[in-house]
Amino acid sequence: MSLRPAGIAPVPAMTAQVAAAAFPRGCAAMRMRDELGAIYDDQMFSSLFPARGQPAHSPWRLALVTVLQFAEGLADRQAADAVRGRIDWKYALGLDLSNPGFDFSVLCEFRARLVAGGLEPILLDAMLTRHRERGLLKARGRQRTDSTHVLAAVRKLNRLENVGEVLRAALNALAAAAPDWLAQHAERSWADRYGRRIEDYRLPKSEAARRELGESIGRDGHRLLADVYGPAAPRWLHELPAVQALRRAWVQQFYLQGDRVSWRDRTDLPPSGARIHSPYDVDASFGDKRTTAWIGYKAHFSETCDADAPHVITNVATTPAPVPDTAMTAPVHADLARRGLLPRTHFMDADLLLEVRVEHDVELISPIRPDSSWQAKAGQGYDISAFRIDWDAQVVTCPQGHNSINWLPGVDDGGTQRVQAVFADRVCRACPSRPLCTRAKVASRRLTFRLEDRHEAIQHARQHQQTPQWRALYGVRAGIEGCLSQAIRRCGLRRSRYVGLAKTHLQHVATAAALNVVRLDAWLRGRPRAATRRSRLVRLLAA
């Protein structure tokens, strides 16, 4: 399909007249068009379409339909019906009342083009540009960021089910792509073993029988891989995603002892976050946070939180489930800087406090991990705050007045520069306060800390976050929970609609754009923000 860019005409007079009569007080879709205009234009999507072919549906309208669809939680078929039959949508899209709309499959094709072209961020970026032009998005204000878990659109499988489904998916992919080749290499018994979905209730119950079945599946898969990667097989078979998933899964789950395929022990498996958990979404990974464990992804949302402006979602990031919130400090600020949306103050679970302040002039309000040493936990030993560091002389002085004898710069496992200060063994052994300083039986105290700027920043932040003033300031970040709750309840954020990290990210971008429409409508209507919900008991006893 080819794109024939056209200018955006005003809303047809008849459509505007009927919409005004049907919605005398307006509605969200109409207020969005009146306040922000059409938001998108065809030129934004020109790279997604070839120069020749059948004319495509106007992509700016498809983008707007996608946003409205997520704002109301509609499926593709329902969204296409809304374009065909709803007056407020026709008003927002600038369509005549007689316009027949389009087939619902057009929306799926449009999303595929967005993902293939890497243009999914434009759904949010163009809307933020309009907010900024209308003065609804303050520069260098306050923002807050948090994440929530997202379940992948696959069922949860145990280990035996998973390897069976991986092999079954590869066989089905080969049967569709190279039926003649597979017919020559497949065993007849495979139709009975892998012809239907692998279900746990059909599998043996004893551990020995399950291990034997697992190794049987492993032998079948290994034989199939040997044939696929054999010299006589077409080379393009290697590139089938299901075959790639089979190869990865077999490396993770089995090993070869001579010619025998053996089932790996649980202690010999790769980390759960790196394993394939479903052949139908190889990007989905295992994650856990506090008491919650899931297979899927993480969605990181950033929103403005100034009291005198609407709270607008400014950034969305989708990551594999194991990625910690602190690892997103640099990527989030890089995205905000690229679009000119950096805040002055940012509330988030963060690392790199000093680097962000220097590079982006952003004050990070984030809790610092407490000192994990036993001295700090006990509250009666000599933790790092009890030592005095002379950075110029490269000497550390302990609470008893003894100086370190070695200053050893290095790099920790995370790549951060650090210093280890070592005290003399003879001095530490004779020290009367040794039980408060170290539990080592013979060795002296060794103190490890970051370089000067980072060390001083960490110590200052640890002291400051113990004050009531800091707790009250950081309390602002709790409001991001309302943003995530709204995204979950209204747009189904907690569950992925699609398969794969890229498509799931498109869902999250569309969710953010949709929530901005909903919030703009609430702001224009003067609807106050909801207060924190409290139980009847709390309200009763607080009265």
Side-chain angles (χ1 to χ4, degrees):
M1 303 183 76
S2 64
L3 179 62
R4 313 289 169 81
I8 300 176
V11 179
M14 182 58 69
T15 302
Q17 180 181 351
V18 174
F23 300 95
R25 297 183 180 179
C27 63
M30 295 171 61
R31 274 188 282 268
M32 176 193 68
R33 177 62 189 256
D34 293 339
E35 187 68 24
L36 301 180
I39 302 178
Y40 311 103
D41 62 66
D42 286 345
Q43 291 293 346
M44 295 177 178
F45 307 95
S46 59
S47 62
L48 304 181
F49 296 88
R52 296 181 179 181
Q54 181 182 356
H57 290 278
S58 180
W60 78 263
R61 286 196 174 99
L62 296 179
L64 205 54
V65 169
T66 300
V67 173
L68 293 173
Q69 170 187 7
F70 275 81
E72 299 189 19
L74 303 180
D76 288 351
R77 194 183 297 270
Q78 294 171 317
D81 288 342
V83 174
R84 190 176 301 112
R86 284 178 51 174
I87 297 171
D88 56 334
W89 280 43
K90 288 185 180 294
Y91 182 95
L93 299 169
L95 295 173
D96 291 325
L97 295 178
S98 59
N99 189 286
F102 48 78
D103 186 79
F104 71 94
S105 61
V106 172
L107 292 172
C108 180
E109 182 195 8
F110 177 67
R111 290 195 300 269
R113 288 181 183 273
L114 283 177
V115 172
L119 287 185
E120 59 271 20
I122 206 170
L123 296 179
L124 181 60
D125 291 350
M127 181 169 290
L128 293 175
T129 299
R130 294 293 180 131
H131 275 77
R132 194 158 37 187
E133 292 171 352
R134 300 299 189 273
L136 300 170
L137 181 56
K138 293 178 59 176
R140 286 295 189 172
R142 300 201 301 179
Q143 293 187 29
R144 52 197 177 196
T145 298
D146 200 4
S147 69
T148 188
H149 64 279
V150 178
L151 305 179
V154 294
R155 65 190 180 105
K156 188 176 181 180
L157 304 173
N158 63 39
R159 188 180 173 191
L160 192 54
E161 285 179 301
N162 186 31
V163 295
E165 277 296 309
V166 170
L167 179 53
R168 190 174 81 92
L171 289 170
N172 282 324
L174 289 168
D180 295 336
W181 181 90
L182 184 61
Q184 296 175 3
H185 293 82
E187 295 182 9
R188 295 298 175 186
S189 60
W190 287 1
D192 293 332
R193 294 185 192 177
Y194 312 111
R196 57 181 178 176
R197 191 167 76 172
I198 309 299
E199 300 280 9
D200 188 53
Y201 71 86
R202 299 193 188 103
L203 303 179
K205 305 305 177 187
S206 70
E207 186 65 28
R210 292 173 77 92
R211 184 180 184 88
E212 182 180 352
L213 176 59
E215 294 187 346
S216 173
I217 295 173
R219 289 191 294 271
D220 292 341
H222 183 69
R223 188 194 150 205
L224 179 64
L225 286 170
D227 290 339
V228 168
Y229 284 88
R235 295 190 61 83
W236 57 267
L237 292 182
H238 308 176
E239 300 173 3
L240 292 176
V243 173
Q244 292 292 325
L246 176 66
R247 183 173 177 272
R248 284 179 54 197
W250 254 236
V251 171
Q252 295 171 356
Q253 300 289 347
F254 302 96
Y255 66 94
L256 286 175
Q257 287 181 317
D259 294 333
R260 180 184 174 187
V261 180
S262 298
W263 189 244
R264 288 187 185 274
D265 292 331
R266 295 185 183 277
T267 56
D268 192 33
L269 292 173
S272 57
R275 297 201 297 263
I276 291 178
H277 295 274
S278 172
Y280 308 110
D281 189 351
V282 295
D283 293 337
S285 51
F286 174 83
D288 65 297
K289 187 175 182 180
R290 301 184 184 93
T291 60
T292 302
W294 73 98
I295 303 294
Y297 307 96
K298 253 188 183 180
H300 305 257
F301 275 56
S302 302
E303 69 166 358
T304 60
C305 53
D306 298 294
D308 57 345
H311 290 179
V312 178
I313 298 174
T314 56
N315 192 72
V316 178
T318 307
T319 65
V323 174
D325 291 359
T326 53
M328 294 304 296
T329 306
V332 167
H333 286 92
D335 286 344
L336 292 171
R338 175 179 55 83
R339 289 178 279 131
L341 294 174
L342 281 171
R344 180 67 63 194
T345 305
H346 200 164
F347 303 87
M348 65 186 304
D349 285 336
D351 198 358
L352 309 176
L353 272 69
L354 185 64
E355 289 84 344
V356 171
R357 180 184 288 273
V358 171
E359 182 177 359
H360 299 295
D361 191 23
V362 173
E363 179 187 11
L364 280 181
I365 308 298
S366 173
I368 298 295
R369 293 179 182 176
D371 189 345
S372 59
S373 65
W374 67 264
Q375 297 93 338
K377 292 179 179 178
Q380 57 183 4
Y382 293 154
D383 61 12
I384 193 170
S385 63
F387 292 76
R388 187 176 72 256
I389 303 175
D390 187 334
W391 299 97
D392 295 329
Q394 297 186 346
V395 171
V396 178
T397 304
C398 77
Q400 296 298 317
H402 303 298
N403 293 332
S404 61
I405 59 172
N406 283 324
W407 179 280
L408 306 174
V411 179
D412 62 18
D413 295 337
T416 303
Q417 292 182 312
R418 53 96 176 134
V419 174
Q420 186 179 66
V422 182
F423 289 83
D425 288 344
R426 59 179 180 80
V427 173
C428 283
R429 289 196 197 104
C431 181
S433 299
R434 180 181 176 87
L436 297 175
C437 193
T438 179
R439 291 176 176 173
K441 294 182 179 179
V442 177
S444 62
R445 179 70 184 268
R446 285 167 168 75
L447 204 66
T448 302
F449 46 88
R450 308 284 179 87
L451 297 187
E452 182 175 5
D453 290 343
R454 290 177 64 87
H455 175 78
E456 297 296 341
I458 290 172
Q459 296 305 312
H460 173 74
R462 281 176 177 166
Q463 295 176 4
H464 184 48
Q465 71 185 24
Q466 302 301 320
T467 63
Q469 295 81 2
W470 185 91
R471 294 192 185 99
L473 177 63
Y474 187 67
V476 174
R477 182 172 181 261
I480 192 68
E481 298 295 340
C483 172
L484 298 177
S485 177
Q486 186 181 28
I488 291 167
R489 289 181 289 107
R490 191 175 192 107
C491 304
L493 175 66
R494 186 57 55 75
R495 293 182 178 273
S496 177
R497 286 190 176 197
Y498 315 116
V499 171
L501 180 64
K503 291 183 178 180
T504 302
H505 179 57
L506 171 60
Q507 173 188 341
H508 297 163
V509 172
T511 295
L515 290 184
N516 284 344
V517 171
V518 173
R519 293 176 170 200
L520 173 64
D521 179 62
W523 176 265
L524 294 175
R525 288 190 294 145
R527 182 179 178 183
R529 300 186 183 99
T532 302
R533 289 178 291 179
R534 299 188 301 172
S535 68
R536 290 184 175 87
L537 176 63
V538 172
R539 292 198 300 268
L540 174 64
L541 297 181

